[in-house]
Amino acid sequence: MAPKVEDDWSDSDDDQEQLDVETSVLLGLPDGPVDSVDDLRDVAVSRMGGHPAFLTSPEPDVSSSQCKNCSNPMELLVQIWCPFEDSPMDRALYVWACARGECQKKDGSVRAWRSLRYNAEYAKKLEAKLEKRRKQEEARKAAEKAKEASKVNPFKISGSYSATSSFGLGTQVFGGENANPFSGQPSAAETNKDDDDDEDREYESESDSEESLVTALASASLEDSPWPAMPAYKPMYLNTTAEYLPPPPKTKVPPGAKIVDLDRDDGKDKDKNMTWLSEAYENSMEVDHVFERFMTRVGYEGKQCVRYDLGGTPLPFSHDKTFDRLFPLLTGPPVPVTKGDFMVQTSPKCVYSPSAVPNCPRCGGERTFECQLMPNLINILKDGEDDGKEAGKKSTEEERQKEVERALKSQNAKGRRGMEWGTVMVFSCKNDCCPEKKSNWAEELVMVQWDE
């Protein structure tokens, strides 16, 4: 559970050092090469590089990985096991990118796809769980209604008895934790553990789901698949950890003063204890505050390759056209200072607007931010390329200097390779719609901020 920051606003200089605060973001970190053949074939093992493992058979067509500019097959950047909470569908996300120099900074050179598979065993468990939640919610509402009635007439025995007998029900009916999108578990049944009985049923459901999943994977003939012939980086495990950030500095305010966070997005900010991490950005043309903030945030865990925050706010790389689209300028009315005699115009802010993301073209539903790829991923994949070096081995200073010289000499050459994006943001359909019942394979929206 995330540590909390106490709002004591003490005047003492001897305050105990505050603990770091956990955010809603899960960070994907490199965790060594994937050497196990079983893990390479297991769709529930999240990875960087390598060839994709699929949920369904027959497999998707290899055209899914083709660059829309050069029409050549692209390398897989990441594959993430990420079932939605309270969904009966097993789910995986795939992102491909073209490394050819002439395709950089062009639309269609980075593509993301989503794969679904109906999990019948978990669907039964989910139906029972939702029914339990419904009954708990009804009990909670009945208890609240009885409590309100007792306030109106405190001497009414039936109202007092009803409220007492229902005490405590439904206080945490939605207390389950979100699914870990990077976990190497073969079933969506690992999410939302309510109690011991549910854990027992979950174990049974997981076993059944694992068996059915293995059967589905086994039915896909690797010998007949064209995917192993596609270009690929060396596969690396994608491990997960929660993001922790230092708490914001305490502000000393006079007694009775009201603290108003002008950056807060109507109270919807997930990280309520961290006002400095709100979604607003200063609008300044002199300094790229967006890039500075990006570097500061990433600096707390420099190894991160993926940021996963379903329904959260993307971390923009720089102030460019994509930023202006996702973070439109928000201006407010002047703020009165004293009796309306003076007015102070607050600085314009750029605030994340989910409505700026186009709707799903298949079902017409809203899209939501799901994850983004970070610049360190480029370094990890490059270090892992099959060029005679060991996977993950760092280049020496002399080798890096030679690589820079070669890159400068070949800037105008058509054959040069290297990805030049700053971050890749993936937005998925909220409905997790199934375009085709047979394949359950759909392309999702990608927004790229390039490294200028």
Side-chain angles (χ1 to χ4, degrees):
M1 188 173 183
K4 296 182 179 180
V5 178
E6 299 294 336
D7 293 331
D8 53 60
W9 307 103
S10 172
D11 291 331
S12 173
D13 294 331
D14 299 326
D15 289 344
Q16 187 176 6
E17 184 178 355
Q18 293 176 303
L19 297 176
D20 287 349
V21 183
E22 182 179 357
T23 75
S24 61
V25 180
L26 286 174
L27 302 180
L29 310 177
D31 196 23
V34 182
D35 297 324
S36 169
V37 176
D38 291 337
D39 286 348
L40 291 173
R41 296 180 180 180
D42 190 348
V43 68
V45 176
S46 297
R47 69 202 67 179
M48 302 178 296
H51 292 104
F54 297 105
L55 276 166
T56 58
S57 179
E59 299 170 334
D61 192 87
V62 292
S63 60
S64 301
S65 69
Q66 286 181 344
C67 174
K68 291 186 177 181
N69 299 287
C70 64
S71 298
N72 289 315
M74 302 183 291
E75 290 89 349
L76 179 71
L77 298 186
V78 295
Q79 173 179 329
I80 303 174
W81 173 251
C82 48
F84 277 3
E85 184 179 2
D86 290 343
S87 170
M89 308 297 289
D90 290 329
R91 185 175 183 275
L93 189 68
Y94 309 79
V95 183
W96 282 273
C98 185
R100 293 170 179 81
E102 58 268 28
C103 297
Q104 300 306 298
K105 303 182 182 180
K106 294 181 180 180
D107 293 339
S109 61
V110 183
R111 303 176 68 181
W113 291 78
R114 157 175 56 89
S115 180
L116 300 174
R117 174 180 174 273
Y118 183 71
N119 188 327
E121 294 299 326
Y122 183 61
K124 295 178 182 178
K125 176 185 180 297
L126 181 60
E127 184 178 356
K129 181 185 294 184
L130 294 178
E131 177 64 17
K132 178 181 178 181
R133 287 183 180 178
R134 185 186 65 80
K135 291 181 179 179
Q136 288 178 327
E137 181 67 11
E138 290 178 353
R140 183 185 65 81
K141 290 181 178 179
E144 290 181 352
K145 185 176 182 181
K147 186 177 181 180
E148 289 298 324
S150 68
K151 290 181 180 179
V152 176
N153 185 359
F155 302 102
K156 188 175 181 180
I157 298 178
S158 59
S160 299
Y161 176 79
S162 175
T164 304
S165 61
S166 301
F167 180 79
L169 288 178
T171 55
Q172 293 182 350
V173 293
F174 297 103
E177 295 182 354
N178 291 336
N180 185 337
F182 304 104
S183 63
Q185 300 299 326
S187 169
E190 279 297 313
T191 60
N192 301 326
K193 297 183 179 179
D194 291 334
D195 49 33
D196 293 339
D197 293 336
D198 275 350
E199 289 181 8
D200 293 338
R201 292 195 301 273
E202 200 163 303
Y203 175 77
E204 296 173 1
S205 177
E206 179 184 351
S207 300
D208 294 338
S209 176
E210 182 177 3
E211 182 178 355
S212 60
L213 181 59
V214 171
T215 301
L217 293 175
S219 64
S221 174
L222 295 177
E223 290 76 13
D224 298 335
S225 172
W227 285 99
M230 297 296 104
Y233 299 107
K234 283 192 174 182
M236 305 280 288
Y237 285 109
L238 188 61
N239 194 13
T240 181
T241 183
E243 181 188 49
Y244 286 91
L245 300 174
K250 288 187 176 182
T251 304
K252 297 180 180 180
V253 296
K258 183 179 180 182
I259 301 173
V260 179
D261 183 4
L262 297 177
D263 292 347
R264 187 63 55 84
D265 185 15
D266 297 329
K268 297 179 181 179
D269 189 357
K270 289 185 177 182
D271 306 318
K272 295 182 179 179
N273 291 324
M274 293 176 291
T275 57
W276 71 278
L277 290 176
S278 62
E279 301 166 357
Y281 288 80
E282 294 287 348
N283 184 41
S284 172
M285 301 304 294
E286 298 179 0
V287 179
D288 191 345
H289 295 289
V290 180
F291 181 72
E292 286 188 346
R293 190 169 183 176
F294 179 90
M295 296 302 295
T296 300
R297 183 82 176 254
V298 174
Y300 295 116
E301 179 46 82
K303 295 181 180 179
Q304 60 184 279
C305 294
V306 177
R307 296 175 63 86
Y308 191 97
D309 189 15
L310 182 63
T313 302
L315 180 65
F317 176 73
S318 62
H319 196 153
D320 59 2
K321 293 181 179 179
T322 300
F323 175 83
D324 289 334
R325 179 179 179 182
L326 294 176
F327 293 79
L329 188 63
L330 180 66
T331 57
V335 179
V337 179
T338 56
K339 300 182 181 181
D341 295 335
F342 300 96
M343 304 294 286
V344 176
Q345 182 67 49
T346 58
S347 300
K349 303 288 184 180
C350 297
V351 181
Y352 176 57
S353 174
S355 61
V357 181
N359 288 355
C360 174
R362 295 174 295 271
C363 69
E366 294 180 356
R367 280 195 176 108
T368 186
F369 172 72
E370 183 167 1
C371 67
Q372 67 187 103
L373 310 186
M374 307 303 285
N376 188 46
L377 177 62
I378 298 176
N379 299 327
I380 296 298
L381 294 176
K382 185 176 181 181
D383 286 345
E385 283 186 310
D386 190 11
D387 58 357
K389 296 184 295 183
E390 296 181 3
K393 181 180 178 181
K394 295 183 178 180
S395 303
T396 64
E397 185 63 32
E398 183 179 357
E399 290 174 335
R400 285 195 293 268
Q401 184 64 31
K402 289 182 179 180
E403 288 177 0
V404 172
E405 292 175 359
R406 285 196 298 267
L408 292 174
K409 291 179 181 179
S410 61
Q411 277 185 348
N412 298 322
K414 289 186 176 181
R416 68 183 177 91
R417 284 177 56 84
M419 292 178 286
E420 299 176 9
W421 45 263
T423 189
V424 174
M425 296 174 282
V426 179
F427 299 83
S428 303
C429 174
K430 272 188 177 181
N431 300 327
D432 217 16
C433 62
C434 301
E436 298 178 14
K437 293 184 178 180
K438 292 183 179 180
S439 67
N440 293 339
W441 182 249
E443 188 165 12
E444 294 293 10
L445 177 66
V446 169
M447 289 190 183
V448 183
Q449 288 192 284
W450 301 99
D451 187 5
E452 300 294 342

